Amino acid sequence: MNIGVDAAALGMSNAVTAFSGDVNSGYWNPGGLLKIQDSEVSLMHASYFANIAKYDYAAYAKKIDDKSAWGVSLIRFGVDDILNTTQLIDSQGNIDYNRISLFSTADYGFTFSYARRPTLIEGFQYGVNAKVIRRVIGKFANSWGFGFDFGLQYERNDWHYGLMLRDITTTYNIWAIDEEKYNSIKDAVAGQNQAPPESTEITLPKAQLGIAKKFDFHYDYTLLAAINLNMQFARTNDIFASAAVSIDPALGLEFGYTEMVFLRAGVGNFQNVEQIDGTKKINFQPNIGLGFKYKGIQIDYALTNLGNQSAALYSNIFSVKVDLSIFR
């Protein structure tokens, strides 16, 4: 749930908290769903770790009236057809390749979003996400989790401001471990997996603060500039870190021509990384992207971590967004 969705946003290094205003706002800031004119659908696919892991996303959102909108989304990140070799050697000490089986591990996130615009405050809108998290590790273990997000957006004098609070109640995942399967593998490697893992997994609250402005040049050209401050309430390797809060800034730019062709770039994920000699080096993640929009259909591409500047691996990401009103 931390990777991000939509190639357009990822090309800008996820600095879209303040300006997001389409079907993908259910992930970035649910308050932005109110900018949808009718109804939209979005699909995304990406591969990680040399195509070993698959990352897929689908979303739908619809405007209810001038003051409310709703949306749903589904995220899956999984590795399929993993070789289970824990039973490779039989009770006689012989290697038997017929004892190899396959299993998959996957994380799922289902989100329902609702957005509302209050009557008394002009330019202000907010939204809430209710999330269901499902994690599966073959037949060995599975878990269910629940959480909530809250987002705000405010626009004044063409400046856009946004605040996204993720997992505001703390998200808990409760694991169920198959004891029979566990007992069959706990001695596969001597000295390892001798005690069952923790059955509760906790995701602590996080905050994202954003500001953005769109500039128009000669009617045909636009430039969207946006910045995010991604905050965790603990000491991390972020470039600004303390015991109370750690902050990772992200900057994104989008150059547009006639609202049809888009060129994007961004930089984020600034981390203090300790080197072998004990010194620290600041790593960062540069991203680029392209987009094309025509008659309500938008296709986007992003290349993340250009040049492998950070510890994260680069990925090619594709997404498509469709305004369903074009079919009416």
Side-chain angles (χ1 to χ4, degrees):
M1 300 297 290
N2 288 329
I3 297 174
V5 301
D6 179 33
L10 293 167
M12 297 178 64
S13 290
N14 304 349
V16 297
T17 300
F19 200 80
S20 180
D22 58 16
V23 59
N24 301 304
S25 296
Y27 178 92
W28 296 113
N29 189 331
L33 291 174
L34 282 165
K35 297 177 183 178
I36 293 175
Q37 298 301 314
D38 190 289
S39 58
E40 294 180 358
V41 63
S42 178
L43 299 171
M44 186 197 76
H45 172 75
S47 297
Y48 284 80
F49 311 116
N51 292 328
I52 294 175
K54 306 296 184 184
Y55 182 40
D56 297 287
Y57 159 80
Y60 171 82
K62 181 177 178 59
K63 196 166 188 177
I64 301 173
D65 51 39
D66 290 339
K67 295 183 179 180
S68 57
W70 68 275
V72 293
S73 66
L74 177 65
I75 292 175
R76 181 188 187 271
F77 191 102
V79 178
D80 299 308
D81 297 332
I82 303 170
L83 294 176
N84 178 10
T85 60
T86 59
Q87 308 302 314
L88 178 61
I89 301 176
D90 63 22
S91 59
Q92 304 301 317
N94 301 311
I95 295 177
D96 183 357
Y97 292 102
N98 293 320
R99 294 167 63 89
I100 295 177
S101 59
L102 300 175
F103 72 98
S104 298
T105 177
D107 294 349
Y108 300 86
F110 175 80
T111 302
F112 176 81
S113 306
Y114 177 76
R116 184 75 179 174
R117 178 181 291 117
T119 305
L120 300 179
I121 306 177
E122 185 177 354
F124 176 78
Q125 52 206 30
Y126 64 90
V128 63
N129 289 337
K131 302 185 296 187
V132 178
I133 310 298
R134 174 67 168 167
R135 308 189 69 185
V136 179
I137 305 177
K139 296 181 179 180
F140 303 104
N142 65 83
S143 75
W144 289 97
F146 304 90
F148 295 90
D149 305 328
F150 182 74
L152 302 171
Q153 284 188 341
Y154 178 67
E155 181 180 353
R156 183 178 177 85
N157 297 328
D158 294 328
W159 284 89
H160 301 261
Y161 308 90
L163 175 65
M164 180 64 170
L165 302 176
R166 298 188 180 275
D167 305 295
I168 54 175
T169 58
T170 302
T171 297
Y172 293 88
N173 262 67
I174 307 300
W175 284 88
I177 300 171
D178 188 301
E179 292 188 9
E180 181 180 350
K181 291 290 184 182
Y182 169 75
N183 289 329
S184 70
I185 66 171
K186 71 175 184 178
D187 295 319
V189 179
Q192 296 187 20
N193 301 319
Q194 299 303 302
E198 295 289 337
S199 60
T200 302
E201 186 177 19
I202 298 175
T203 303
L204 297 176
K206 295 179 289 292
Q208 295 171 315
L209 182 65
I211 183 172
K213 184 175 175 62
K214 193 172 187 178
F215 303 90
D216 295 311
F217 303 97
H218 305 293
Y219 303 100
D220 290 336
Y221 302 95
T222 61
L223 177 64
L224 171 64
I227 187 170
N228 257 34
L229 296 179
N230 304 310
M231 295 173 280
Q232 300 185 62
F233 301 102
R235 185 182 293 277
T236 69
N237 287 333
D238 290 342
I239 189 171
F240 304 109
S242 69
V245 62
S246 297
I247 302 175
D248 166 32
L251 174 67
L253 298 171
E254 178 187 76
F255 175 78
Y257 175 67
T258 64
E259 292 297 322
M260 181 180 294
V261 180
F262 303 92
L263 176 64
R264 306 181 181 97
V267 61
N269 195 25
F270 290 90
Q271 302 288 306
N272 288 308
V273 179
E274 186 171 351
Q275 306 300 300
I276 296 177
D277 60 4
T279 61
K280 288 191 175 182
K281 176 184 176 182
I282 297 177
N283 279 11
F284 59 92
Q285 180 176 332
N287 297 351
I288 59 173
L290 295 169
F292 179 76
K293 182 179 180 180
Y294 182 70
K295 291 186 176 181
I297 300 176
Q298 182 170 329
I299 300 173
D300 296 294
Y301 164 78
L303 174 61
T304 63
N305 195 18
L306 180 67
N308 285 339
Q309 290 295 309
S310 77
L313 297 179
Y314 76 90
S315 293
N316 296 286
I317 300 170
F318 297 88
S319 67
V320 59
K321 181 177 66 176
V322 180
D323 183 347
L324 297 178
S325 64
I326 65 174
F327 298 107
R328 293 192 177 89

mmCIF file of all heavy atoms in Angstrom, residues 296-314:
data_model
loop_
_atom_site.group_PDB
_atom_site.id
_atom_site.type_symbol
_atom_site.label_atom_id
_atom_site.label_comp_id
_atom_site.label_asym_id
_atom_site.label_seq_id
_atom_site.Cartn_x
_atom_site.Cartn_y
_atom_site.Cartn_z
ATOM 1 N N GLY A 296 -11.055 11.503 -23.698
ATOM 2 C CA GLY A 296 -11.408 10.812 -22.472
ATOM 3 C C GLY A 296 -10.606 9.567 -22.164
ATOM 4 O O GLY A 296 -10.823 8.942 -21.127
ATOM 5 N N ILE A 297 -9.677 9.187 -23.050
ATOM 6 C CA ILE A 297 -8.821 8.018 -22.809
ATOM 7 C C ILE A 297 -7.387 8.505 -22.604
ATOM 8 O O ILE A 297 -6.848 9.221 -23.456
ATOM 9 C CB ILE A 297 -8.890 7.022 -23.968
ATOM 10 C CG1 ILE A 297 -10.324 6.517 -24.151
ATOM 11 C CG2 ILE A 297 -7.949 5.851 -23.725
ATOM 12 C CD1 ILE A 297 -10.519 5.594 -25.336
ATOM 13 N N GLN A 298 -6.796 8.135 -21.482
ATOM 14 C CA GLN A 298 -5.443 8.572 -21.163
ATOM 15 C C GLN A 298 -4.553 7.367 -20.905
ATOM 16 O O GLN A 298 -4.889 6.489 -20.116
ATOM 17 C CB GLN A 298 -5.452 9.484 -19.940
ATOM 18 C CG GLN A 298 -4.076 10.021 -19.564
ATOM 19 C CD GLN A 298 -4.132 11.103 -18.512
ATOM 20 O OE1 GLN A 298 -5.099 11.870 -18.437
ATOM 21 N NE2 GLN A 298 -3.108 11.190 -17.677
ATOM 22 N N ILE A 299 -3.404 7.338 -21.586
ATOM 23 C CA ILE A 299 -2.422 6.268 -21.425
ATOM 24 C C ILE A 299 -1.136 6.887 -20.891
ATOM 25 O O ILE A 299 -0.648 7.888 -21.435
ATOM 26 C CB ILE A 299 -2.163 5.540 -22.762
ATOM 27 C CG1 ILE A 299 -3.459 4.912 -23.287
ATOM 28 C CG2 ILE A 299 -1.086 4.472 -22.605
ATOM 29 C CD1 ILE A 299 -3.342 4.310 -24.664
ATOM 30 N N ASP A 300 -0.594 6.305 -19.836
ATOM 31 C CA ASP A 300 0.593 6.863 -19.186
ATOM 32 C C ASP A 300 1.660 5.798 -19.002
ATOM 33 O O ASP A 300 1.358 4.603 -18.851
ATOM 34 C CB ASP A 300 0.230 7.453 -17.822
ATOM 35 C CG ASP A 300 -0.718 8.634 -17.936
ATOM 36 O OD1 ASP A 300 -0.305 9.676 -18.492
ATOM 37 O OD2 ASP A 300 -1.876 8.510 -17.488
ATOM 38 N N TYR A 301 2.903 6.263 -18.999
ATOM 39 C CA TYR A 301 4.059 5.394 -18.772
ATOM 40 C C TYR A 301 5.005 6.091 -17.804
ATOM 41 O O TYR A 301 5.179 7.321 -17.858
ATOM 42 C CB TYR A 301 4.789 5.106 -20.083
ATOM 43 C CG TYR A 301 6.181 4.549 -19.883
ATOM 44 C CD1 TYR A 301 6.381 3.212 -19.534
ATOM 45 C CD2 TYR A 301 7.299 5.377 -20.015
ATOM 46 C CE1 TYR A 301 7.664 2.716 -19.331
ATOM 47 C CE2 TYR A 301 8.575 4.879 -19.819
ATOM 48 C CZ TYR A 301 8.755 3.553 -19.473
ATOM 49 O OH TYR A 301 10.013 3.067 -19.263
ATOM 50 N N ALA A 302 5.616 5.323 -16.903
ATOM 51 C CA ALA A 302 6.610 5.868 -15.979
ATOM 52 C C ALA A 302 7.783 4.914 -15.863
ATOM 53 O O ALA A 302 7.605 3.695 -15.829
ATOM 54 C CB ALA A 302 5.995 6.117 -14.604
ATOM 55 N N LEU A 303 8.976 5.490 -15.819
ATOM 56 C CA LEU A 303 10.189 4.742 -15.510
ATOM 57 C C LEU A 303 10.675 5.253 -14.165
ATOM 58 O O LEU A 303 11.090 6.413 -14.045
ATOM 59 C CB LEU A 303 11.257 4.942 -16.584
ATOM 60 C CG LEU A 303 12.626 4.319 -16.293
ATOM 61 C CD1 LEU A 303 12.499 2.805 -16.142
ATOM 62 C CD2 LEU A 303 13.626 4.673 -17.386
ATOM 63 N N THR A 304 10.592 4.410 -13.145
ATOM 64 C CA THR A 304 10.944 4.840 -11.795
ATOM 65 C C THR A 304 12.381 4.461 -11.464
ATOM 66 O O THR A 304 12.893 3.459 -11.931
ATOM 67 C CB THR A 304 10.004 4.204 -10.754
ATOM 68 O OG1 THR A 304 10.156 2.776 -10.770
ATOM 69 C CG2 THR A 304 8.554 4.539 -11.061
ATOM 70 N N ASN A 305 12.992 5.304 -10.641
ATOM 71 C CA ASN A 305 14.382 5.119 -10.214
ATOM 72 C C ASN A 305 15.322 5.074 -11.406
ATOM 73 O O ASN A 305 16.080 4.132 -11.602
ATOM 74 C CB ASN A 305 14.557 3.862 -9.355
ATOM 75 C CG ASN A 305 15.899 3.870 -8.631
ATOM 76 O OD1 ASN A 305 16.536 4.904 -8.494
ATOM 77 N ND2 ASN A 305 16.322 2.717 -8.169
ATOM 78 N N LEU A 306 15.258 6.114 -12.217
ATOM 79 C CA LEU A 306 16.101 6.231 -13.401
ATOM 80 C C LEU A 306 17.578 6.182 -13.004
ATOM 81 O O LEU A 306 18.036 6.936 -12.169
ATOM 82 C CB LEU A 306 15.792 7.554 -14.115
ATOM 83 C CG LEU A 306 16.572 7.854 -15.380
ATOM 84 C CD1 LEU A 306 16.188 6.874 -16.477
ATOM 85 C CD2 LEU A 306 16.303 9.278 -15.829
ATOM 86 N N GLY A 307 18.320 5.272 -13.598
ATOM 87 C CA GLY A 307 19.741 5.169 -13.325
ATOM 88 C C GLY A 307 20.086 4.459 -12.032
ATOM 89 O O GLY A 307 21.243 4.469 -11.605
ATOM 90 N N ASN A 308 19.091 3.839 -11.379
ATOM 91 C CA ASN A 308 19.347 3.103 -10.130
ATOM 92 C C ASN A 308 20.086 3.957 -9.099
ATOM 93 O O ASN A 308 21.085 3.552 -8.509
ATOM 94 C CB ASN A 308 20.142 1.821 -10.398
ATOM 95 C CG ASN A 308 19.282 0.745 -11.024
ATOM 96 O OD1 ASN A 308 18.067 0.768 -10.914
ATOM 97 N ND2 ASN A 308 19.913 -0.191 -11.697
ATOM 98 N N GLN A 309 19.570 5.167 -8.861
ATOM 99 C CA GLN A 309 20.213 6.071 -7.915
ATOM 100 C C GLN A 309 19.911 5.706 -6.467
ATOM 101 O O GLN A 309 20.648 6.077 -5.565
ATOM 102 C CB GLN A 309 19.766 7.512 -8.178
ATOM 103 C CG GLN A 309 20.308 8.093 -9.462
ATOM 104 C CD GLN A 309 21.820 8.229 -9.420
ATOM 105 O OE1 GLN A 309 22.375 8.785 -8.487
ATOM 106 N NE2 GLN A 309 22.491 7.705 -10.430
ATOM 107 N N SER A 310 18.804 5.022 -6.223
ATOM 108 C CA SER A 310 18.443 4.666 -4.852
ATOM 109 C C SER A 310 18.513 3.150 -4.688
ATOM 110 O O SER A 310 18.793 2.408 -5.618
ATOM 111 C CB SER A 310 17.037 5.162 -4.519
ATOM 112 O OG SER A 310 16.055 4.328 -5.101
ATOM 113 N N ALA A 311 18.215 2.706 -3.471
ATOM 114 C CA ALA A 311 18.250 1.270 -3.187
ATOM 115 C C ALA A 311 17.101 0.528 -3.873
ATOM 116 O O ALA A 311 17.158 -0.677 -4.053
ATOM 117 C CB ALA A 311 18.209 1.035 -1.685
ATOM 118 N N ALA A 312 16.039 1.256 -4.220
ATOM 119 C CA ALA A 312 14.905 0.638 -4.901
ATOM 120 C C ALA A 312 15.282 0.286 -6.339
ATOM 121 O O ALA A 312 16.092 0.955 -6.971
ATOM 122 C CB ALA A 312 13.709 1.595 -4.894
ATOM 123 N N LEU A 313 14.686 -0.791 -6.855
ATOM 124 C CA LEU A 313 14.951 -1.193 -8.224
ATOM 125 C C LEU A 313 14.073 -0.396 -9.185
ATOM 126 O O LEU A 313 12.969 0.008 -8.850
ATOM 127 C CB LEU A 313 14.678 -2.689 -8.397
ATOM 128 C CG LEU A 313 15.560 -3.628 -7.562
ATOM 129 C CD1 LEU A 313 15.154 -5.066 -7.807
ATOM 130 C CD2 LEU A 313 17.026 -3.430 -7.890
ATOM 131 N N TYR A 314 14.594 -0.183 -10.395
ATOM 132 C CA TYR A 314 13.797 0.546 -11.380
ATOM 133 C C TYR A 314 12.668 -0.332 -11.884
ATOM 134 O O TYR A 314 12.744 -1.562 -11.870
ATOM 135 C CB TYR A 314 14.677 1.011 -12.541
ATOM 136 C CG TYR A 314 15.054 -0.074 -13.513
ATOM 137 C CD1 TYR A 314 14.252 -0.357 -14.615
ATOM 138 C CD2 TYR A 314 16.214 -0.820 -13.337
ATOM 139 C CE1 TYR A 314 14.578 -1.356 -15.506
ATOM 140 C CE2 TYR A 314 16.550 -1.819 -14.229
ATOM 141 C CZ TYR A 314 15.736 -2.081 -15.316
ATOM 142 O OH TYR A 314 16.066 -3.079 -16.198
#
